[in-house]
Amino acid sequence: MTDTGTSWRDRLFGGLKRTSDKLGDNLTGLFGKAALDAQTLDEIEEALILSDLGPAMAVRVRERLAEGRFNKELTEEYLREIIAEEIEKVLAPVARPLEIEAFPRPQVILVIGVNGSGKTTTIAKLAHNFLEQDYGVMLAAGDTFRAAAIGQLKVWAERLGIPIVAGKEGGDAAGIVFDAVKQATATGIDVLIVDTAGRLQNKTELMDELAKIRRILGRLNPASPHDVVLVLDATTGQNALNQIEVFKETAQVTGLVMTKLDGTARGGVLVAAAEKFRLPIHAIGVGEKIEDLRPFDPGDMARAIAGTAYAR
């Protein structure tokens, strides 16, 4: 992915300011005490939980403080640095880019997510990133539930100058995916990115459709789909965890992309997701431009959530 400067980091830190400000508000009154005693540690632990960082992270920070600075004066700068370091420890193991390694080609990536999560735009951004790496890319409009989704994907394919396989609204999604794989194989495409329906109102229907797509893909290549990427809207907070739970059950998710981190994002949910599910986080969305899907950097994310500065 081509770096376009530091402006995307400004948007990331600005988007997570709500989280870092909430953290600061909850920690107010805990600094400048003569001693970091057991009561103060209790208060810090409670403040971290109230800041949406979750009980596990609160315990991590408490234990780190207890072993490192017990009975010493606590400063806000020191505490935020400790929080950033502990968050980074949790996020670092799940930071993993999407790599194109499948053989034979194409590598099939199913992209899932609820309506409004930024799924279609994320597909376009993924396609752009793979094109930047000189891969051949094709799209498949497998979300036949919404005509708008098909139309949007066609527009993006045209803008990017890449082929797309699409059908009519209400068509057979598995059939479209089958045709796309056959065409991608015949034309030497490296990456096939498949949009899928994201409706959660009827889990059984969604599960049946995804199972059918998997069966079709399995007949063509037992290793396919190679990736099942869930797109999550960072502004939804704890609801994102519920979506991971449901889609893990219905779609066998292999990795995550978090979008809208340039808005009023609730960054704590990313930490909670990493702690609970340990799924790879491939990338983050920090804007509307095609190049605004960035590699997931656990250090940047940890500092943005904790409210510490980043190196420019």
Side-chain angles (χ1 to χ4, degrees), residues 296-307:
F296 176 64
D297 185 314
D300 279 337
M301 184 62 63
R303 287 186 287 275
I305 292 171

Side-chain angles (χ1 to χ4, degrees), residues 18 28 46 50 121 137 194 196 218 224 231-233 237 244 251-252 254 276 278 293 300 309:
R18 174 177 175 178
T28 297
E46 182 180 356
L50 291 173
T121 307
V137 184
V194 181
T196 63
S224 184
V231 178
L232 295 166
D233 178 348
I244 297 173
Q252 300 171 46
T254 62
K276 183 174 182 179
R278 304 195 184 280
L293 189 70
D300 279 337

Side-chain angles (χ1 to χ4, degrees), residues 43-279:
E43 292 172 356
I44 291 171
E45 185 174 351
E46 182 180 356
L48 293 174
I49 293 172
L50 291 173
S51 302
D52 298 327
L53 289 174
M57 180 54 59
V59 170
R60 279 174 173 269
V61 173
R62 180 197 174 107
E63 291 176 349
R64 173 80 181 276
L65 289 170
E67 69 186 27
R69 289 280 296 249
F70 202 75
N71 288 330
K72 294 182 181 179
E73 183 179 337
L74 180 68
T75 66
E76 182 173 0
E77 181 182 8
Y78 174 76
L79 179 53
R80 285 187 184 270
E81 287 292 342
I82 293 296
I83 293 169
E85 289 172 13
E86 292 303 314
I87 290 175
E88 186 172 359
K89 287 178 186 177
V90 171
L91 297 180
V94 300
R96 197 180 312 161
L98 268 176
E99 302 286 356
I100 306 307
E101 302 171 326
F103 186 83
R105 298 284 205 250
Q107 181 156 328
V108 179
I109 303 172
L110 295 188
V111 181
I112 59 181
V114 300
N115 298 339
S117 64
K119 177 165 61 84
T120 307
T121 307
T122 296
I123 289 171
K125 291 175 180 178
L126 283 171
H128 168 76
N129 289 338
F130 290 134
L131 289 170
E132 290 272 291
Q133 299 171 59
D134 293 325
Y135 289 116
V137 184
M138 176 183 285
L139 305 182
D143 184 356
T144 58
F145 188 70
R146 296 184 303 134
I150 299 170
Q152 262 188 302
L153 212 59
K154 285 181 176 179
V155 169
W156 277 117
E158 184 176 347
R159 287 180 187 173
L160 293 167
I162 58 177
I164 181 171
V165 176
K168 296 180 179 179
E169 181 182 6
D172 179 21
I176 288 167
V177 174
F178 177 85
D179 290 343
V181 174
K182 298 293 280 186
Q183 288 187 38
T185 303
T187 56
I189 291 292
D190 298 300
V191 190
L192 173 63
I193 307 177
V194 181
D195 189 13
T196 63
R199 55 195 185 279
L200 292 180
Q201 294 87 346
N202 187 332
K203 284 201 298 180
T204 302
E205 185 179 339
L206 177 62
M207 190 181 297
D208 289 346
E209 184 174 284
L210 290 169
K212 186 177 179 182
I213 290 173
R214 282 183 169 278
R215 285 197 302 272
I216 291 293
L217 289 170
R219 290 174 196 162
L220 297 169
N221 180 351
S224 184
H226 303 86
D227 304 282
V228 181
V229 177
L230 174 59
V231 178
L232 295 166
D233 178 348
T235 67
T236 62
Q238 294 299 307
N239 188 46
L241 298 179
N242 298 333
Q243 290 176 31
I244 297 173
E245 196 83 61
V246 172
F247 278 114
K248 269 196 79 201
E249 175 192 346
T250 59
Q252 300 171 46
V253 175
T254 62
L256 308 174
V257 170
M258 187 73 76
T259 66
K260 305 182 185 179
L261 282 163
D262 56 321
T264 54
R266 302 171 188 175
V269 68
L270 204 60
V271 181
E275 289 255 35
K276 183 174 182 179
F277 300 104
R278 304 195 184 280
L279 286 167

